[in-house]
Amino acid sequence: MNKIFVFDLDGVILDNLNEHRSCLQQFLEAHKISPTKKDFEDINGPNIKEIVKLLKTMYCLNYEESYLIEQYNILMRKVYTNSVLSKGVVELCEKLCNSKFSLALASSCKREYITFILDKHNLSNLFSFTASGDDVKKAKPAPDIYELVKKYFWEGEYIAVEDSDNGIISAKTAGMKVIFFNSEHRNANALFDYEVHSMEQVSELINYL
């Protein structure tokens, strides 16, 4: 049976959680609001439209949603322009490909950002399929984006690598095994199958999957 590894982008392929926190902080501070730790956990996973909708409701932001989305996008473009890869992720992807796994990417971010990142880091040839937030109506924690991956590959065994509660819930609801990529050693509130703290530990799991 075909085995498919499905990677999230932010916080998994990319080592950019601090940059995302900074983005959230800049966005809210522009409205004279100080973000909380829970704010970041809530917005880690959904797409920008869902993030803005959530923040607009939480903090009663008195602006058009389209304006807030554009303001958040301006900040996010800087995040992706300055992005760096998680340590060991290229080696892991190459090992998976050499071990006859298929690779997919399932990220809530915009298609243009995914394309930019894959081209910037020369990763495009490693992934058989990519799904973006532009491709689904409901963002994570809804299972839609992972169901899209399953529709592409049809039958197979799926292992998702996620770093957020929203992502874990999305993949598990779609019937996938989930590796919780916990680089920050935090407590997850969602159920997962394996927990790792580095790409090297993901690599060690391959023989057991």
Side-chain angles (χ1 to χ4, degrees):
M1 180 180 290
N2 190 23
K3 292 188 177 182
I4 302 99
F5 249 80
V6 193
F7 287 87
D8 182 29
L9 183 66
D10 296 300
V12 178
I13 295 292
L14 297 178
D15 181 9
N16 64 353
L17 292 183
N18 286 333
E19 287 73 15
H20 274 276
R21 290 190 185 93
S22 178
C23 178
L24 174 65
Q25 182 173 349
Q26 291 177 63
F27 178 81
L28 288 179
E29 287 183 347
H31 300 281
K32 313 236 183 290
I33 299 166
S34 296
T36 67
K37 183 178 180 180
K38 184 178 184 304
D39 287 338
F40 181 72
E41 295 300 329
D42 289 341
I43 64 99
N44 189 12
N47 58 34
I48 291 176
K49 183 177 179 180
E50 293 294 328
I51 289 171
V52 166
K53 184 177 181 180
L54 178 65
L55 295 175
K56 180 177 169 65
T57 300
M58 287 171 59
Y59 292 109
C60 301
L61 301 179
N62 193 23
Y63 293 90
E64 291 291 331
E65 194 169 300
S66 58
Y67 169 78
L68 294 172
I69 289 172
E70 180 53 33
Q71 294 306 301
Y72 211 96
N73 264 314
I74 289 171
L75 296 170
M76 285 303 301
R77 289 186 187 105
K78 295 178 182 178
V79 170
Y80 290 116
T81 298
N82 300 319
S83 64
V84 297
L85 296 174
S86 293
K87 181 182 178 182
V89 71
V90 174
E91 293 80 1
L92 172 62
C93 289
E94 291 175 344
K95 180 177 180 178
L96 287 166
C97 289
N98 292 333
S99 300
K100 308 304 181 183
F101 284 87
S102 296
L103 301 189
L105 186 68
S107 170
S108 294
C109 77
K110 293 168 66 66
R111 169 67 60 184
E112 67 176 278
Y113 297 151
I114 292 176
T115 301
F116 172 78
I117 291 300
L118 294 183
D119 288 346
K120 176 184 177 181
H121 297 290
N122 299 313
L123 298 175
S124 300
N125 63 316
L126 295 175
F127 292 91
S128 302
F129 180 71
T130 60
S132 76
D134 297 330
D135 302 324
V136 293
K137 292 182 179 180
K138 294 182 180 179
K140 301 174 185 177
D144 300 34
I145 197 163
Y146 281 106
E147 293 291 355
L148 198 59
V149 173
K150 292 176 71 175
K151 183 177 180 180
Y152 176 83
F153 287 100
W154 292 96
E155 292 186 1
E157 183 178 347
Y158 297 87
I159 305 100
V161 188
E162 277 283 358
D163 73 303
S164 69
D165 288 345
N166 288 318
I168 292 170
I169 293 168
S170 177
K172 288 298 288 184
T173 304
M176 297 186 180
K177 291 182 180 178
V178 178
I179 298 172
F180 174 33
F181 184 69
N182 190 10
S183 60
E184 297 186 335
H185 298 263
R186 68 175 184 83
N187 293 323
N189 296 311
L191 296 177
F192 51 85
D193 298 283
Y194 308 95
E195 180 177 359
V196 298
H197 306 292
S198 67
M199 290 299 166
E200 289 76 10
Q201 288 182 319
V202 180
S203 182
E204 292 170 1
L205 276 176
I206 292 176
N207 293 332
Y208 302 97
L209 297 172

